[in-house]
Amino acid sequence: MGCEIVSVSADTQFVHLAWQREEKDLANVKFHMGSDRNGDLARQFGIWNGGFTLRGSYLIAPDGKLMNAEVNFLNLGRNIDEQMRKFKANLHLTKNPKEGCPSKWKDEGDVTLKPGPEMVGRVHEAQQKK
Amino acid sequence: MPCGGYRPSPNSVRISQANPMNEVTTIQVGQQVPDFTLTTYEPTTKGFGSYSLAEAKKNGKWTLLFFYPADYTFV
């Protein structure tokens, strides 16, 4: 879908290999498994936690701009459906820069908002339109 | 006390000067991510490679970075 997925931890590429080979849940992995050995990249995002990286997800546009950031503490995993929702919304908003995707937006065809004078105090009504 | 009760102690200022780590600027949403390159393991080819943000940008690709604490943990 035009998006490269890169997992990142401070482990080496050798440990990535061993982990991916051993863990059944990783048997179908197709994404790049990046090694941020010294935590340099994690530090730039402010998620370097003394050798362990917090569970941060960052969506970067093709022009290099950071569009989303989500950070969970060490003990909470992420939901792939929400990551996909954000990615799809970003694709839609790139093509339709005057629109906004509300919290309930899930996929193409769902109601978007066009901020303007007529929407002030009428967000509820605007979300009912199809 | 003014300023909502917060005033950095001389001690904390000294610590931050002695520790350049505290001065790393965090990238914010809406800002440009500086180009980076990571050494990678590529499960599709079972070989080692690299991932370059500059390369992805050149190819018109989005990039989803997915950090986790360490291998052999969950995601």
Side-chain angles (χ1 to χ4, degrees), chain A residues 84-104:
Chain A
M84 281 303 293
R85 188 187 85 89
K86 285 180 183 169
F87 175 56
K88 285 178 183 174
N90 271 285
L91 288 183
H92 179 88
L93 295 170
T94 304
K95 283 185 213 134
N96 304 278
K98 288 186 177 157
E99 296 181 13
C101 287
S103 59
K104 288 183 179 132

Side-chain angles (χ1 to χ4, degrees), chain A residues 1 3 5 12-13 27 33 41 45 55 60 68 76 80-83 101 103 106-107 110 128-129:
Chain A
M1 287 181 73
C3 185
I5 299 174
T12 64
Q13 62 273 33
M33 300 179 78
L41 192 59
F45 288 100
R55 296 181 194 275
I60 306 168
N68 294 128
L76 178 62
I80 191 63
D81 293 338
E82 173 60 5
Q83 302 293 333
C101 287
S103 59
K106 279 190 185 151
D107 213 330
D110 289 352
Q128 310 306 312
K129 283 181 199 156

